[in-house]
């Protein structure tokens, strides 16, 4: 097949792929416009890892669009080549055709890069989602008789993964998710969660900021200072050691330890518990997102 035929088939294929992409994007925009807010949004609370679920849904749709466009391109190129499509570029000099094919190859490489990046992001989000769900479900189980659990609580400095509020106090549970190495151990040292044997570390300054912002918002709401205890959950890892008493380091299996991590000075009056739970409910409904 000569350069003219190849360019013609590629031109037809890329045009069809672009029409497919435009149709998908238009339909997606129309669907978002028509869907509006979820039904009963004022009564539906955010579930564990809700933000990751939403991002995964977006990435899954994006994957389908990219893969569909690639399939359309391949099918149309094969069809145009097999059925002797009209010579769209007949009479053009060869250098222009090679330039066109070079631009097409660069576009294909860029599209492949975007697809691979989307797949990697989707894979990582699935891991973060599962880690947060594992911790959230354990919290729901241990919270019986101890308070209520709220998920994906927005604060000024980010999002707190899980918050448990009850008469014994307030706990902010932040999930640090890393893929587990064989016989992997984790320890808390200073402002870092250290993973062994990978020798990787996670800075917890963001967790400190989010926990502090949550304590400020809750204190402002009831008109008195309250302490928010910071719990760092690292699912799948064995806990080696921790220094200091500012944070409690746990995994999804020993999370019930937080029920024993309390101080009488942190206890809340029933009316304060009700007020805080009511405010957090309003913050975590789907209509507030």
């Amino acid at each position: 097949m000569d350069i003219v035929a190849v360019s013609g088939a590629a031109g037809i294929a890329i045009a069809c792929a672009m029409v497919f992409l435009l149709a998908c994007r238009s339909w997606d925009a129309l669907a978002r416009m028509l869907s509006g807010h979820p039904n009963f949004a004022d009564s539906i609370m955010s579930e564990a890892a809700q933000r990751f679920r939403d991002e995964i849904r977006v990435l899954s749709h994006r994957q389908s669009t990219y893969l569909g466009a690639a399939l359309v391109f391949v099918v149309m190129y094969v069809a145009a080549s097999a059925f002797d499509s009209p010579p769209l570029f007949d009479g053009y000099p060869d250098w222009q055709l090679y330039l066109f094919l070079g631009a097409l190859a660069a576009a294909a490489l860029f599209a492949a890069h975007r697809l691979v990046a989307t797949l990697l992001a989707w894979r990582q989000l699935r891991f973060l989602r599962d880690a947060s769900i594992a911790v959230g479900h354990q919290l729901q189980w241990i919270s019986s008789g101890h308070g209520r659990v709220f998920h994906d609580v927005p604060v000024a400095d980010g999002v707190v993964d899980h918050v448990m509020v009850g008469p014994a106090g307030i706990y902010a549970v932040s999930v640090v998710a890393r893929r587990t190495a064989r016989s992997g151990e984790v320890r808390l040292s200073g402002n870092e969660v250290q993973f062994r044997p990978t020798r990787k570390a996670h800075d917890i300054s963001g967790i400190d900021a989010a926990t502090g912002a949550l304590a400020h918002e809750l204190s402002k709401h009831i008109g008195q200072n309250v302490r928010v205890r910071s719990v760092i959950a690292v699912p799948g890892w064995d806990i080696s050691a921790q220094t200091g008493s500012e944070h409690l380091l746990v995994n999804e299996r020993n999370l019930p330890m937080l029920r024993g991590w309390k101080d009488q000075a942190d206890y809340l009056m029933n009316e304060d518990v009700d007020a805080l739970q009511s405010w957090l409910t309003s913050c975590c409904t789907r209509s507030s997102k």
Side-chain angles (χ1 to χ4, degrees), residues 51-194:
R51 67 188 189 279
F52 298 131
R53 297 170 193 257
D54 295 339
E55 291 181 44
I56 288 172
R57 189 179 301 112
V58 172
L59 286 181
S60 296
H61 183 268
R62 191 175 299 169
Q63 287 179 45
S64 301
T65 301
Y66 288 154
L67 290 173
L71 180 61
V72 168
F73 178 84
V74 171
V75 170
M76 294 307 301
Y77 180 83
V78 171
S81 301
F83 292 101
D84 295 327
S85 62
L88 299 180
F89 300 100
D90 193 19
Y92 283 74
D94 288 353
W95 69 269
Q96 291 185 357
L97 300 181
Y98 282 116
L99 186 63
F100 169 74
L101 291 178
L104 187 61
L109 288 175
F110 176 75
H113 168 73
R114 290 293 301 272
L115 178 59
V116 171
T118 301
L119 288 170
L120 292 176
W122 175 80
R123 181 174 180 268
Q124 179 63 14
L125 280 173
R126 286 185 70 248
F127 180 73
L128 295 176
R129 178 201 64 188
D130 292 346
S132 188
I133 289 175
V135 173
H137 285 181
Q138 287 294 315
L139 280 172
Q140 293 284 9
W141 177 69
I142 68 174
S143 66
S144 178
H146 292 269
R148 287 184 58 191
V149 177
F150 303 87
H151 308 289
D152 283 2
V153 179
V155 295
D157 290 306
V159 177
V160 179
D161 295 311
H162 312 282
V163 175
M164 187 168 77
V165 178
I170 307 168
Y171 299 86
V173 183
S174 303
V175 180
V176 177
R178 290 289 186 277
R179 297 191 183 276
T180 312
R182 181 174 297 180
S183 301
E185 292 185 344
V186 62
R187 61 178 296 165
L188 181 62
S189 178
N191 289 325
E192 288 185 341
V193 176
Q194 299 173 346

